[in-house]
């Protein structure tokens, strides 16, 4: 792998540190107890990082999202790791009846709510639900979506650049598919993961500890596909195998058996 490609990540790390650190320091000054609340401290840091990076990351993936989300999402949609709600802008409002956002970082909820409202999804009309739990908290998600006995609540589960920060992602996704997604429902995902190239994987491993600190625990050292849950209409690479890019993307759509 060329050195220039291996170190292309450095400017992004620098910008993330600059964006997150300077606003976080005053927060600690005004509330020193944050030093004992590392989870909350990470949320504050990531909130400021995502204010800088969110729109650009969304723009870079626009074509992939338009082909993945817009023609397929329908019914009650569960968006895990919703962030600022960028996924909402790819939903066909005539086909999506309710948008359920799982976003544990409550600092992002205000922007998420504004994005949803602009697209016509509001809590007052029952078309918007924002949950502050993580995707792994399946019982909390289910308790927030009451349905008739024997029926599961979600038609479309969406994961956009989220599995990288979920504890035990395949276990979590498998649980969501089994316990939350209706028979005949679907999973749509767009994620960055391990490259197929050994040399690129080495550099991904090298940079991951730094990236995790700057981007809310994000870890791209995960394979997608297999594991029992990646079955359905297919997984496709969004980079060629010869790409030297540290961010190797895969997308896919899976349909749950009826």
């Amino acid at each position: 792998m060329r050195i220039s490609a291996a170190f292309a990540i450095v400017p992004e790390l620098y910008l993330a540190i600059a964006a997150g650190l300077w606003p976080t320091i005053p927060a600690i000054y005004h509330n020193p107890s944050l030093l004992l609340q590392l989870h909350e401290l990470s949320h504050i840091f990531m909130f400021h990082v995502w204010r800088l990076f969110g729109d650009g990351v969304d723009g870079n993936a626009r074509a992939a999202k338009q082909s993945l989300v817009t023609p397929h999402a329908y019914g009650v949609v569960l968006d895990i790791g919703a962030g600022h709600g960028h996924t909402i802008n790819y939903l066909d409002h005539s086909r999506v009846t309710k948008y359920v956002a799982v976003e544990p970082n409550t600092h992002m909820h205000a922007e998420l709510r504004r994005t949803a409202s602009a697209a016509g999804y509001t809590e007052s009309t029952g078309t918007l639900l924002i949950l502050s739990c993580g995707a792994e908290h399946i019982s909390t998600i289910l308790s927030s979506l009451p349905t008739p006995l024997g029926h599961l609540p979600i038609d479309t589960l969406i994961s956009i650049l989220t599995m990288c920060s979920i504890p035990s992602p395949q276990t979590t996704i498998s649980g969501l598919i089994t316990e939350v997604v209706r028979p005949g429902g679907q999973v749509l995902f767009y994620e960055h993961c391990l490259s197929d190239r050994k040399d690129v994987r080495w550099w991904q491993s090298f940079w991951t500890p730094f990236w995790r600190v700057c981007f809310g625990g994000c870890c791209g050292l995960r394979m997608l596909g297999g594991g029992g849950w990646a079955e359905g209409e297919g997984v496709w690479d969004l980079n060629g195998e010869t790409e030297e890019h540290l961010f190797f993307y895969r997308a896919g759509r899976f349909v749950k058996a009826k």
Side-chain angles (χ1 to χ4, degrees):
M1 185 175 186
R2 291 174 295 115
I3 292 298
S4 60
F7 282 84
I9 196 175
V10 171
E12 294 182 66
L13 289 173
Y14 172 80
L15 288 173
I17 293 170
L21 185 60
W22 299 121
T24 302
I25 290 174
I28 296 172
Y29 176 80
H30 291 293
N31 183 11
S33 66
L34 285 171
L35 293 172
L36 302 177
Q37 305 172 54
L38 297 183
H39 191 67
E40 175 63 13
L41 199 60
S42 174
H43 279 185
I44 293 172
F45 186 94
M46 185 58 187
F47 165 68
H48 292 289
V49 169
W50 203 240
R51 288 178 67 183
L52 175 65
F53 280 85
D55 288 344
V57 171
D58 174 62
N60 291 338
R62 182 167 290 117
K65 292 181 183 181
Q66 287 173 335
S67 62
L68 175 69
V69 176
T70 306
H72 295 125
Y74 71 92
V76 180
V77 169
L78 177 65
D79 184 12
I80 58 175
H84 287 167
H86 287 100
T87 299
I88 297 169
N89 297 320
Y90 301 93
L91 300 177
D92 181 344
H93 203 307
S94 67
R95 302 181 68 231
V96 174
T97 57
K98 185 170 185 174
Y99 176 75
V100 181
V102 171
E103 178 47 66
N105 191 335
T106 57
H107 299 281
M108 297 192 182
H109 285 189
E111 183 62 28
L112 172 54
R113 191 170 281 108
R114 281 192 292 269
T115 304
S117 178
Y121 297 97
T122 63
E123 288 152 318
S124 61
T125 60
T127 55
L128 171 67
L129 176 63
I130 299 176
L131 302 176
S132 58
C133 62
E136 67 275 18
H137 299 130
I138 296 175
S139 61
T140 301
I141 295 172
L142 283 171
S143 66
S144 303
L145 294 166
T147 54
L149 185 64
H151 291 74
L152 299 180
I154 297 300
D155 298 296
T156 304
L157 169 63
I158 299 178
S159 177
I160 304 290
L161 300 178
T162 297
M163 293 186 203
C164 56
S165 57
I166 295 176
S168 305
Q170 290 198 353
T171 300
T172 297
I173 296 298
S174 294
L176 287 169
I177 292 172
T178 301
E179 301 180 44
V180 179
V181 178
R182 293 171 179 162
Q186 60 183 344
V187 179
L188 309 176
F189 74 83
Y190 170 83
E191 301 286 347
H192 67 92
C193 53
L194 276 174
S195 171
D196 290 334
R197 286 182 45 161
K198 185 176 180 180
D199 57 339
V200 176
R201 289 200 302 270
W202 189 94
W203 282 105
Q204 286 179 312
S205 299
F206 176 83
W207 287 116
T208 288
F210 304 96
W211 193 261
R212 292 184 73 164
V213 170
C214 294
F215 286 89
C218 173
C219 175
L221 300 181
R222 292 166 174 175
M223 294 298 295
L224 298 179
W229 60 268
E231 301 171 0
E233 296 192 5
V235 182
W236 57 91
D237 294 340
L238 299 177
N239 308 78
E241 291 186 9
T242 59
E243 287 281 350
E244 290 189 322
H245 204 289
L246 288 169
F247 294 99
F248 187 81
Y249 294 96
R250 283 198 171 104
R253 175 176 179 255
F254 308 125
V255 177
K256 182 176 178 179
K258 294 184 178 180

